[in-house]
C-alpha cells in the first residue's frame, strides 16, 4: 500500500437490541432495552469498529446516506471524511440521529487508523495520563432499596467512591435515596444526582439547596438542558459543593460553545457516541479548556477510554446499562480497578472486538 493512503473499502452497519437487566426509569423516561448501532469499516486489510447507543433509524441513515459516500476515501484523512458526512446530512439536520450516525463512523475510522499503524488509539493521539477515574452510574428511580444496594456493592467492588443516581420523580424519595447511599458508603462517597431535566428552575434551585446539605456534589440536568437560561440561573445560584452539569445532548461544537460561553454549567459532559465521534469530542474538550470548565464523558465507557487518557477530562461515567453490554458483548472491555480504568496498550485501536456469536441473538431485523 502507498504510504498514508488506505482507501475505505467497505462500511458495514448492524444494530443489536439488548434488553436491560430490569425495567429502568429516570426522572423523565423509562426503557427496557438499549440499541447498539455498530459500524465496521474495512481498509488496508484491517477493520475498525465504532458504535453509538441510538435508534435503529441511525443504522438506516448510515446505510442510505453515508456508507457509499465515504467508500473510497482515504482512512488517514478523517477530517475530510467528517466534512463529507456533514455535507451529506445537511438537509436532514445535524443533530440527533445524523450526528449519532457520524459518531459511529468517526469512531470506527479512528479505530481503523490506529489498527493500520498497529498502535492503541491513546498512543496515536498521545497520552496525557495512563488511567482515568470513573464514577458508577445507574440508581434508577424505579429501583427497590435492594436493587440500589446491590448496585452500590457492584460499584464498591470496582473501588469506586463516586456514584450517580437518577432522581426527579419524587423529591421526598430522592432525599431518602441519597441518605441511603450515604449509609451504604458510611458517608465516604461523592454523590452525583441526575434529574434528566425533570424540574422547573425554582424547584431545581430549592432541591439543590437540600441536596447540598446532604453532601451531593454533582447535580446533572436539574432543568432541561435545552433551556440554557434556566440552567445558567441555577448554576449561578446553587450553593457549594454542588456542580451543575449537562452536555449529553451536545451534537456539535456550536452547542458546546453556547453552553460554555453562557457559563451554563460548572462541568461539561460530552458523549463521543453522539457529538460527532472522537474528532468533534476532542475539539469540544479543547474548547472547554479555554473557558476553564472541566469535562467528564457521558456513557459508553469502553468507547471513551482512550480519548479520556489522551485529554484532560476529569472522569468518566461508568453507566450500568453500557457496562453490561460492553462487558458481555465486547472482547477487550475493561473493568475498573480501585475506581480507575486503564487502557490495554497491547491492543491496537480502541482495543475492542464484538463477540459476534454472543451478539447474534440480539440482532435487530
Ligand atoms: Mg444524564
Amino acid at each position: 500500500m502507498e504510504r498514508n493512503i488506505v482507501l475505505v473499502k467497505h462500511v458495514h452497519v448492524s444494530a443489536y437490541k439488548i434488553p436491560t437487566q430490569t425495567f429502568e426509569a429516570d426522572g423523565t423516561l423509562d426503557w427496557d432495552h438499549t440499541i447498539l448501532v455498530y459500524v465496521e469499516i474495512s481498509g488496508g486489510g484491517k477493520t475498525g469498529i465504532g458504535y453509538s447507543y441510538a435508534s435503529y433509524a441511525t443504522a438506516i441513515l448510515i446505510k442510505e446516506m453515508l456508507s457509499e459516500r465515504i467508500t473510497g476515501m482515504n482512512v488517514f484523512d478523517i477530517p475530510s471524511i467528517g466534512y463529507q458526512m456533514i455535507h451529506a446530512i445537511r438537509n436532514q439536520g445535524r443533530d440527533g440521529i445524523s450526528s449519532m450516525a457520524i459518531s459511529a463512523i468517526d469512531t470506527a475510522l479512528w479505530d481503523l487508523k490506529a489498527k493500520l499503524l498497529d498502535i492503541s488509539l491513546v498512543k496515536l493521539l498521545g497520552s496525557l495520563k495512563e488511567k482515568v477515574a470513573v464514577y458508577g452510574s445507574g440508581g434508577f428511580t424505579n429501583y427497590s432499596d435492594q436493587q440500589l444496594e446491590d448496585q452500590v456493592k457492584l460499584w464498591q467492588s470496582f473501588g469506586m467512591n463516586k456514584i450517580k443516581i437518577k432522581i426527579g420523580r419524587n423529591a421526598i424519595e430522592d432525599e431518602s435515596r441519597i441518605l441511603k447511599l450515604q449509609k451504604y458508603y458510611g458517608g465516604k462517597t461523592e454523590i452525583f444526582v441526575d434529574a434528566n431535566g425533570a424540574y422547573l428552575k425554582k424547584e431545581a434551585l430549592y432541591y439543590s439547596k437540600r441536596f447540598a446539605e446532604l453532601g451531593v456534589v454533582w447535580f446533572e440536568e436539574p432543568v432541561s438542558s435545552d433551556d440554557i437560561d434556566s440552567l445558567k440561573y441555577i448554576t449561578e445560584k446553587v450553593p457549594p459543593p454542588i456542580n451543575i452539569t449537562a452536555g449529553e445532548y451536545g451534537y456539535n461544537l456550536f452547542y458546546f460553545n453556547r453552553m460554555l460561553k453562557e457559563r451554563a454549567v460548572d462541568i461539561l459532559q460530552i458523549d463521543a457516541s453522539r457529538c460527532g465521534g472522537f474528532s468533534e469530542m476532542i475539539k469540544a474538550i479543547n474548547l472547554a479548556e479555554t473557558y476553564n470548565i472541566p469535562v467528564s464523558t457521558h456513557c459508553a465507557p469502553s468507547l471513551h477510554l482512550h480519548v479520556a487518557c489522551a485529554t484532560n477530562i476529569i472522569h468518566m461515567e461508568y453507566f450500568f446499562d453500557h457496562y453490561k453490554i460492553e462487558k458481555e458483548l465486547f472482547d477487550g472491555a475493561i473493568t475498573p480497578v480501585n475506581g480507575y480504568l486503564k487502557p490495554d496498550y497491547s491492543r491496537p485501536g480502541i482495543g475492542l472486538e464484538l463477540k459476534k456469536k454472543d451478539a447474534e441473538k440480539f440482532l435487530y431485523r
Side-chain angles (χ1 to χ4, degrees), residues 59-279:
I60 297 173
L61 194 145
I62 290 171
K63 241 181 244 174
E64 297 203 341
M65 302 198 66
L66 300 176
S67 300
E68 241 178 81
R69 193 172 277 264
I70 69 165
T71 301
M73 293 187 76
N74 185 0
V75 175
F76 284 97
D77 293 337
I78 295 175
S80 173
I81 298 176
Y83 280 104
Q84 186 67 235
M85 293 194 287
I86 288 166
H87 294 314
I89 54 83
R90 186 194 66 189
N91 295 353
Q92 319 310 315
R94 173 77 184 273
D95 292 355
I97 62 169
S98 295
S99 191
M100 291 189 272
I102 291 172
S103 301
I105 290 178
D106 180 88
T107 51
L109 287 167
W110 278 104
D111 185 49
L112 178 54
K113 183 176 176 178
K115 280 174 175 162
L116 288 165
L117 298 168
D118 199 26
I119 53 175
S120 62
L121 179 62
V122 64
K123 288 300 169 195
L124 172 60
L125 297 171
S127 289
L128 176 64
K129 49 190 177 286
E130 63 171 32
K131 59 183 183 176
V132 60
V134 281
Y135 68 87
S137 166
F140 303 107
T141 51
N142 63 324
Y143 265 9
S144 66
D145 285 356
Q146 190 58 53
Q147 283 174 301
L148 186 62
E149 190 174 343
D150 289 346
Q151 196 172 70
V152 167
K153 281 182 185 155
L154 176 70
W155 301 147
Q156 285 174 327
S157 75
F158 293 141
M160 292 173 180
N161 60 3
K162 302 174 179 60
I163 43 173
K164 185 166 92 184
I165 59 165
K166 299 291 192 183
I167 60 162
R169 296 267 175 172
N170 179 318
I172 295 165
E173 282 179 18
D174 288 344
E175 285 195 20
S176 90
R177 290 163 69 238
I178 292 166
L179 286 168
K180 276 180 195 128
L181 290 180
Q182 294 288 21
K183 193 182 105 192
Y184 298 147
Y185 264 92
K188 291 193 181 94
T189 183
E190 291 180 40
I191 293 178
F192 297 10
V193 295
D194 181 2
N196 286 92
Y199 298 122
L200 297 172
K201 72 176 181 185
K202 294 258 167 102
E203 286 177 312
L205 185 60
Y206 173 76
Y207 294 134
S208 71
K209 287 174 182 164
R210 288 288 301 131
F211 296 157
E213 287 164 17
L214 300 175
V216 170
V217 296
W218 165 295
F219 190 1
E220 180 174 330
E221 280 199 289
V223 294
S224 165
S225 50
D226 292 335
D227 182 0
I228 297 278
D229 290 341
S230 294
L231 205 53
K232 184 182 177 185
Y233 168 90
I234 296 162
T235 299
E236 283 171 351
K237 291 184 165 48
V238 75
I242 289 191
N243 288 298
I244 297 299
T245 71
E248 67 183 84
Y249 307 114
Y251 292 109
N252 56 62
L253 208 54
F254 300 102
Y255 176 98
F256 295 118
N257 189 48
R258 184 164 171 242
M259 196 168 261
L260 292 163
K261 205 170 164 185
E262 293 289 336
R263 302 222 166 245
V265 290
D266 294 304
I267 298 171
L268 182 69
Q269 294 175 275
I270 307 178
D271 187 331
S273 76
R274 290 180 178 168
C275 75
F278 299 142
S279 299

Side-chain angles (χ1 to χ4, degrees), residues 132-138 160 164 166 192 194 218 220 248 269-271 296-302 304 313 315-320 322-323 326 341:
V132 60
V134 281
Y135 68 87
S137 166
M160 292 173 180
K164 185 166 92 184
K166 299 291 192 183
F192 297 10
D194 181 2
W218 165 295
E220 180 174 330
E248 67 183 84
Q269 294 175 275
I270 307 178
D271 187 331
S296 176
T297 62
H298 170 263
C299 285
S302 294
H304 284 121
I313 72 121
H315 45 52
M316 294 173 42
E317 178 174 21
Y318 202 70
F319 182 53
F320 183 68
H322 299 170
Y323 141 73
E326 292 170 357
L341 280 181

